[in-house]
Amino acid sequence: MRELVDVVCIDLDDTIYLQENFDNQIIDLALERLYSEHIMLFNNKNRLLNHLKSGRANDRFSKNLFQQIFSNYGLSSELALRFSNLYKQFAVSSFPLLQPSSDAICFIKQVRLRSKTFLVSNGPIAQQHRKIELLGLSCLFDNIVILDGLATRKCKPDIGYFMSSIWRSGIAPSPNSLMIGDSCSDELFARRLGFVYHHPVVDLGWRLTDE
């Protein structure tokens, strides 16, 4: 018989830290490299940089975002593709300065004394693991589940892969189990699991920066 335990699931991006901080630093690195390779093609580098950052912040999941922005500046789709590849490269190889929310870390340390903690995040596997490494989160969770929709076609709010992880852990979530995340998919994920949902800022009052 499986042990009935409280499970606490926590999202990563915009829950434990600000995703915008990561994106902006990677965009800086990628555009600086691209600029060094094609300096003569750029007339409005700073405007392009600001447009990339604001566009990424407003529409993080658009597949064609970079191409659309580059075309607005008369830049080729080949340059947009090169920038996209540089972004992916730096996202898993660079050392951006990331700071986890002290409120989130304090909460996790408290609940893991009496609960099973799961970090559940959508996104590219290598990139998400890189963030987890930079944020120093691995030791705070009993299990880390990265749901890469492009690679597996499974991501939140789909609960199938996550329930497989629960099953392999040999536990059964109690009615007091929680899901903490910032998005509608996190809320629906919680509802499908029968978990209580909390928004990190609205419900728990977490500050995602200490500024």
Side-chain angles (χ1 to χ4, degrees), residues 157-168:
D158 184 274
I159 65 172
Y161 188 84
F162 173 74
M163 286 307 298
S164 296
S165 297
I166 288 284
W167 184 260
R168 289 193 299 269

Side-chain angles (χ1 to χ4, degrees), residues 51-68:
H51 196 171
L52 287 166
K53 289 181 178 180
S54 62
R56 181 71 174 177
N58 293 327
D59 191 3
R60 188 183 308 156
F61 300 104
S62 173
K63 294 181 180 179
N64 301 315
L65 174 66
F66 295 147
Q67 183 173 341
Q68 292 168 0

Side-chain angles (χ1 to χ4, degrees), residues 28-72:
D28 282 335
L29 291 170
L31 189 60
E32 193 62 38
R33 173 66 65 82
L34 190 68
Y35 181 70
S36 71
E37 296 173 352
H38 303 279
I39 188 169
M40 298 301 295
L41 298 179
F42 287 85
N43 296 318
N44 298 293
K45 178 190 172 189
N46 290 334
R47 285 180 57 195
L48 174 60
L49 179 66
N50 291 332
H51 196 171
L52 287 166
K53 289 181 178 180
S54 62
R56 181 71 174 177
N58 293 327
D59 191 3
R60 188 183 308 156
F61 300 104
S62 173
K63 294 181 180 179
N64 301 315
L65 174 66
F66 295 147
Q67 183 173 341
Q68 292 168 0
I69 292 174
F70 270 65
S71 67
N72 290 340

